[in-house]
């Protein structure tokens, strides 16, 4: 039987905030219930947004919160060869093409690419996926239920390798989830609408599709999603239990009394036995300032 395997894959764009902790905890609970594996991946594919030192800081923070991972920790920056192989396959099969359109030109068509605007030639073309016409992708999300997206109309031909040479998240995540044998992807709801694109890529590359669960986002008092790069809401690694407890409640779980002397690993051990995925809310959760 295939090993059940989930992952947490933060981008090193700043210190983990309560929203990242919620995604880490949620992915850990999904994976560990029933004894599955939980892996870590450093998603440093976007070198421009990367903050030096953030990856190490995030890994230390996760360890301080008691999260023990399986498998090797991979970094996307070491995996160019895998992404290039997948891209070549898509190009050879006619599913991908060089695109010379600029963002400003695409704005004239609502930012959605369906056909290249003739006459433009850039030295550094992006590579896009040629999305078939009438391309509807449907899936069942473990939290949000049935989802459906018309990719050609709502997204268009999406980028696989950017004009600046960076791999696009959509390609890298699909290649990594397949290469690492992920059977489930549990992450924030901001990526719910990326999932159909990832499923289309899996199909075109002959890869299997994992199960998906998208956790509620945390928003601030103004309704804005918390971001690692703003670091306005740091989590205290020296006092992990209150933050874990808060994330547990944001996942809709029933409060339980842990011993104040419990280590975070003991707390996680107790939590996984009580975890009920059916209680996870769909709506964004507002954090108390
Ligand atoms: N790297 C993404 C982030 O930090 C998560 C991607 C994923 O889990 O698929 O938001």
């Amino acid at each position: 039987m295939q090993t059940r395997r989930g992952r947490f894959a933060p981008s090193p764009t700043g210190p983990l905030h309560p929203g990242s902790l919620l995604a880490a905890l949620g992915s850990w609970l999904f994976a560990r219930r029933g004894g599955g594996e939980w892996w870590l991946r450093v998603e440093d594919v976007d070198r421009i947004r990367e903050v030096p030192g953030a990856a190490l800081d995030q890994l230390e923070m996760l360890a301080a919160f008691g999260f023990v991972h399986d498998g090797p920790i991979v970094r996307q920056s070491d995996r160019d060869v895998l992404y290039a192989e997948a891209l070549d396959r898509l190009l050879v099969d006619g599913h991908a093409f060089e695109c010379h359109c600029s963002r400003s030109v695409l704005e004239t068509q609502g930012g959605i690419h369906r056909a290249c605007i003739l006459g433009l030639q850039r030295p550094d073309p992006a590579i896009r996926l040629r999305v078939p016409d009438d391309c509807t992708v449907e899936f069942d999300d473990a939290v949000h239920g049935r989802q459906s997206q018309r990719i050609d109309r709502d997204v268009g031909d999406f980028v696989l390798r950017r004009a600046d040479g960076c791999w696009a998240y959509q390609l890298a995540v699909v290649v990594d989830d397949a290469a690492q044998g992920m059977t489930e992807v549990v992450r924030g709801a901001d990526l719910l609408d990326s999932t159909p694109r990832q499923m289309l890529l899996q199909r075109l590359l002959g890869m299997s599709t994992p199960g998906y669960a998208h956790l509620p986002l945390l928003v601030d008092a103004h309704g804005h999603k918390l971001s690692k790069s703003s670091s306005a809401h740091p989590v205290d690694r020296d006092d992990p239990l209150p933050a874990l407890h808060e994330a547990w409640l944001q996942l809709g779980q029933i409060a339980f009394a842990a011993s104040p002397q419990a280590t975070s690993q003991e707390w996680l051990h107790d939590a996984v036995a009580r975890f009920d995925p059916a209680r996870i809310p769909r709506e964004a959760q507002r954090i108390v300032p």
Side-chain angles (χ1 to χ4, degrees):
M1 222 182 72
Q2 200 182 7
T3 313
R4 278 196 47 218
R5 183 176 294 160
R7 78 327 185 253
F8 178 56
S11 307
T13 51
L16 297 182
H17 57 65
S20 343
L21 182 65
L22 182 129
L25 177 63
S27 63
W28 188 90
L29 290 165
F30 264 97
R32 292 292 191 217
R33 94 202 141 115
E37 296 180 359
W38 183 76
W39 289 34
L40 288 176
R41 182 163 73 226
V42 176
E43 295 213 323
D44 54 354
V45 78
D46 189 337
R47 320 249 161 108
I48 295 160
R49 289 184 58 226
E50 181 173 354
V51 171
L56 185 63
D57 181 72
Q58 291 177 345
L59 296 175
E60 286 174 358
M61 192 114 147
L62 290 166
F65 276 81
F67 293 107
V68 176
H69 68 91
D70 299 294
I73 299 177
V74 303
R75 289 173 178 267
Q76 290 187 324
S77 51
D78 293 334
R79 294 163 76 79
D80 284 352
V81 173
L82 282 180
Y83 309 142
E85 268 170 21
L87 186 70
D88 278 352
R89 220 161 350 129
L90 293 167
L91 283 164
V92 167
D93 293 347
H95 296 309
F97 62 96
E98 276 189 7
C99 170
H100 295 263
C101 300
S102 67
R103 199 173 290 184
S104 53
V105 156
L106 288 178
E107 265 161 28
T108 59
Q109 16 193 81
I112 292 187
H113 190 285
R114 286 305 287 157
C116 281
I117 295 155
L118 292 177
L120 294 169
Q121 282 290 323
R122 328 167 30 136
D124 54 350
I127 311 275
R128 290 180 183 269
L129 189 83
R130 195 184 307 283
V131 176
D133 290 336
D134 296 325
C135 180
T136 301
V137 172
E138 299 191 335
F139 69 103
D140 287 306
D141 184 85
V143 175
H144 295 263
R146 191 86 183 142
Q147 302 293 308
S148 173
Q149 190 182 63
R150 263 284 299 276
I151 305 183
D152 56 318
R153 190 190 58 199
D154 299 344
V155 180
D157 301 327
F158 53 92
V159 172
L160 302 171
R161 201 184 66 203
R162 298 188 330 213
D164 64 5
C166 275
W167 301 105
Y169 157 70
Q170 307 293 354
L171 178 72
V173 77
V174 161
V175 169
D176 286 335
D177 283 337
Q180 296 190 287
M182 293 302 152
T183 62
E184 62 183 37
V185 169
V186 180
R187 59 189 177 190
D190 51 332
L191 293 168
L192 187 60
D193 76 344
S194 285
T195 306
R197 264 170 280 175
Q198 295 173 15
M199 291 174 64
L200 175 61
L201 277 172
Q202 288 154 1
R203 204 180 296 160
L204 296 174
L205 288 164
M207 297 165 168
S208 55
T209 290
Y212 286 96
H214 287 86
L215 304 171
L217 289 185
L218 289 193
V219 293
D220 64 18
H222 309 288
H224 300 137
K225 174 184 177 280
L226 305 191
S227 92
K228 290 196 269 292
S229 32
S230 88
S231 72
H233 302 271
V235 278
D236 183 359
R237 73 176 70 188
D238 296 327
D239 191 17
L241 286 195
L244 284 169
H245 184 72
E246 196 56 35
W248 174 255
L249 298 181
Q250 286 152 348
L251 287 169
Q253 306 301 304
I254 298 171
F256 65 94
S259 142
Q261 280 85 43
T263 63
S264 39
Q265 275 185 27
E266 286 163 348
W267 186 93
L268 286 168
H269 180 265
D270 280 358
V272 76
R274 295 174 157 87
F275 178 54
D276 178 3
R279 297 188 61 87
I280 299 176
R282 291 180 178 176
E283 309 74 41
Q285 305 292 298
R286 205 170 278 264
I287 60 155
V288 188

